[in-house]
Amino acid sequence: MAERIDDLQIKGYKLIQNPDLFCFGIDAVLLSDFAEASQEDKCIDLGCGNGIIPILMAAKTECESLTGLEIQEESVSLSQRSVELNNLTDRITIVKGDIKEAATIFKAASFDVITTNPPYMNENHGLVNEFTPKAIARHEL
Protein backbone atom coordinates (compact mmCIF):
# COMPACT_ATOMS: atom_id res chain seq x y z
CA MET A 1 0.00 0.00 0.00
CA ALA A 2 1.55 3.29 -1.12
CA GLU A 3 0.05 5.62 1.47
CA ARG A 4 0.88 9.27 1.88
CA ILE A 5 -0.10 11.97 4.34
CA ASP A 6 -1.37 15.17 2.73
CA ASP A 7 -1.56 18.55 4.47
CA LEU A 8 -5.11 19.92 4.11
CA GLN A 9 -3.90 23.51 4.63
CA ILE A 10 -6.48 24.18 7.34
CA LYS A 11 -6.04 23.97 11.12
CA GLY A 12 -3.00 21.76 10.61
CA TYR A 13 -5.23 18.84 9.59
CA LYS A 14 -3.82 16.05 7.49
CA LEU A 15 -5.35 13.22 5.48
CA ILE A 16 -3.97 9.76 4.90
CA GLN A 17 -4.49 8.82 1.25
CA ASN A 18 -3.58 5.94 -0.98
CA PRO A 19 -3.23 6.84 -4.66
CA ASP A 20 -3.90 3.19 -5.49
CA LEU A 21 -7.40 3.66 -4.09
CA PHE A 22 -9.20 6.98 -4.62
CA CYS A 23 -7.86 10.40 -3.67
CA PHE A 24 -10.16 13.34 -3.06
CA GLY A 25 -10.63 16.09 -5.62
CA ILE A 26 -11.79 19.69 -5.70
CA ASP A 27 -15.44 18.58 -5.59
CA ALA A 28 -15.00 17.40 -1.98
CA VAL A 29 -13.40 20.70 -1.01
CA LEU A 30 -16.22 22.68 -2.65
CA LEU A 31 -18.89 20.51 -1.02
CA SER A 32 -17.35 21.07 2.42
CA ASP A 33 -17.46 24.83 1.73
CA PHE A 34 -21.07 24.69 0.56
CA ALA A 35 -22.44 22.61 3.45
CA GLU A 36 -23.45 24.51 6.57
CA ALA A 37 -23.69 23.09 10.07
CA SER A 38 -24.17 24.67 13.47
CA GLN A 39 -22.67 23.43 16.70
CA GLU A 40 -25.81 21.48 17.62
CA ASP A 41 -26.15 19.76 14.25
CA LYS A 42 -25.42 16.09 13.71
CA CYS A 43 -23.84 15.59 10.30
CA ILE A 44 -23.31 12.54 8.12
CA ASP A 45 -21.33 12.08 4.93
CA LEU A 46 -22.66 9.17 2.89
CA GLY A 47 -19.89 7.35 1.04
CA CYS A 48 -17.17 9.20 2.92
CA GLY A 49 -14.26 7.48 1.18
CA ASN A 50 -11.05 8.51 2.91
CA GLY A 51 -12.93 10.85 5.26
CA ILE A 52 -12.11 14.13 3.54
CA ILE A 53 -15.54 15.75 3.92
CA PRO A 54 -16.06 15.01 7.64
CA ILE A 55 -12.52 16.20 8.37
CA LEU A 56 -12.94 19.41 6.36
CA MET A 57 -16.36 19.97 7.96
CA ALA A 58 -14.71 19.60 11.37
CA ALA A 59 -12.22 22.29 10.36
CA LYS A 60 -14.76 24.67 8.82
CA THR A 61 -17.73 24.38 11.20
CA GLU A 62 -18.43 24.16 14.91
CA CYS A 63 -20.40 20.96 14.38
CA GLU A 64 -19.54 18.60 17.21
CA SER A 65 -20.94 15.38 15.73
CA LEU A 66 -19.86 14.15 12.31
CA THR A 67 -20.31 10.64 10.96
CA GLY A 68 -18.89 9.08 7.82
CA LEU A 69 -20.51 6.03 6.24
CA GLU A 70 -18.33 4.00 3.87
CA ILE A 71 -18.67 0.54 2.32
CA GLN A 72 -15.04 -0.15 1.35
CA GLU A 73 -12.92 -1.60 4.17
CA GLU A 74 -9.69 0.01 2.91
CA SER A 75 -11.30 3.45 2.84
CA VAL A 76 -12.84 2.93 6.29
CA SER A 77 -9.36 2.19 7.62
CA LEU A 78 -7.84 5.27 5.95
CA SER A 79 -10.58 7.57 7.23
CA GLN A 80 -10.47 6.19 10.78
CA ARG A 81 -6.71 6.61 10.91
CA SER A 82 -6.97 10.17 9.57
CA VAL A 83 -9.55 10.98 12.25
CA GLU A 84 -7.13 9.66 14.87
CA LEU A 85 -4.16 11.49 13.30
CA ASN A 86 -6.03 14.78 13.66
CA ASN A 87 -7.25 14.04 17.21
CA LEU A 88 -10.87 14.24 16.06
CA THR A 89 -12.18 11.01 17.58
CA ASP A 90 -14.39 13.05 19.92
CA ARG A 91 -16.13 14.67 16.90
CA ILE A 92 -15.95 12.20 14.01
CA THR A 93 -17.13 8.59 13.84
CA ILE A 94 -16.57 6.40 10.79
CA VAL A 95 -19.03 3.55 10.23
CA LYS A 96 -18.57 0.70 7.76
CA GLY A 97 -21.77 0.10 5.85
CA ASP A 98 -23.71 0.40 2.64
CA ILE A 99 -25.54 3.64 1.81
CA LYS A 100 -28.49 1.54 0.67
CA GLU A 101 -28.82 0.26 4.23
CA ALA A 102 -28.33 3.60 6.03
CA ALA A 103 -31.95 3.60 7.20
CA THR A 104 -31.34 0.36 9.08
CA ILE A 105 -27.88 1.33 10.36
CA PHE A 106 -29.05 4.64 11.86
CA LYS A 107 -32.28 5.64 13.56
CA ALA A 108 -34.75 7.81 11.64
CA ALA A 109 -34.04 11.55 11.83
CA SER A 110 -30.57 10.96 13.32
CA PHE A 111 -28.91 13.71 11.31
CA ASP A 112 -29.52 17.39 10.62
CA VAL A 113 -27.01 17.76 7.77
CA ILE A 114 -26.33 15.17 5.07
CA THR A 115 -23.53 15.42 2.56
CA THR A 116 -22.57 13.02 -0.18
CA ASN A 117 -20.20 13.10 -3.11
CA PRO A 118 -21.57 10.09 -4.98
CA PRO A 119 -20.06 8.26 -7.94
CA TYR A 120 -20.56 10.41 -10.99
CA MET A 121 -21.22 7.75 -13.63
CA ASN A 122 -23.54 4.80 -13.79
CA GLU A 123 -22.05 1.42 -14.56
CA ASN A 124 -22.90 1.65 -18.27
CA HIS A 125 -21.02 4.90 -19.00
CA GLY A 126 -17.36 5.80 -19.26
CA LEU A 127 -14.37 3.57 -18.78
CA VAL A 128 -14.68 1.48 -15.65
CA ASN A 129 -11.38 1.13 -13.81
CA GLU A 130 -10.30 -2.49 -13.47
CA PHE A 131 -9.27 -1.82 -9.86
CA THR A 132 -12.41 -2.25 -7.75
CA PRO A 133 -11.89 0.58 -5.18
CA LYS A 134 -11.51 3.21 -7.92
CA ALA A 135 -14.37 1.71 -9.92
CA ILE A 136 -16.70 1.88 -6.91
CA ALA A 137 -15.70 5.50 -6.20
CA ARG A 138 -16.38 6.65 -9.76
CA HIS A 139 -19.27 4.44 -10.89
CA GLU A 140 -22.58 3.29 -9.46
CA LEU A 141 -21.61 -0.33 -8.97
Side-chain angles (χ1 to χ4, degrees):
M1 208 186 258
E3 291 182 358
R4 68 180 193 228
I5 298 176
D6 292 334
D7 186 343
L8 296 178
Q9 303 291 310
I10 187 167
K11 289 194 172 182
Y13 290 169
K14 297 178 180 2
L15 188 76
I16 302 169
Q17 297 202 91
N18 182 338
D20 293 335
L21 300 177
F22 188 80
C23 294
F24 78 91
I26 191 67
D27 50 341
V29 176
L30 293 172
L31 179 56
S32 71
D33 267 348
F34 178 76
E36 295 181 11
S38 67
Q39 186 173 4
E40 304 81 30
D41 287 338
K42 293 180 181 175
C43 305
I44 187 167
D45 183 41
L46 301 174
C48 72
N50 59 19
I52 183 62
I53 292 174
I55 291 172
L56 287 176
M57 291 282 294
K60 296 175 181 183
T61 73
E62 296 298 318
C63 181
E64 290 184 21
S65 174
L66 298 126
T67 300
L69 179 64
E70 175 56 42
I71 193 169
Q72 297 186 76
E73 187 65 47
E74 301 95 339
S75 295
V76 169
S77 174
L78 285 174
S79 58
Q80 287 174 332
R81 290 185 289 129
S82 289
V83 168
E84 292 169 10
L85 176 67
N86 292 296
N87 297 312
L88 292 169
T89 55
D90 60 328
R91 292 181 69 193
I92 301 175
T93 303
I94 305 298
V95 176
K96 183 180 184 312
D98 191 330
I99 291 171
K100 294 182 282 187
E101 297 172 10
T104 59
I105 297 170
F106 305 104
K107 294 179 189 174
S110 295
F111 301 99
D112 305 295
V113 177
I114 300 171
T115 57
T116 189
N117 189 13
Y120 45 88
M121 289 187 238
N122 68 34
E123 63 184 320
N124 299 318
H125 289 87
L127 298 175
V128 177
N129 194 300
E130 293 178 18
F131 189 55
T132 303
K134 287 187 178 182
I136 290 171
R138 294 181 180 143
H139 290 82
E140 296 173 1
L141 300 179

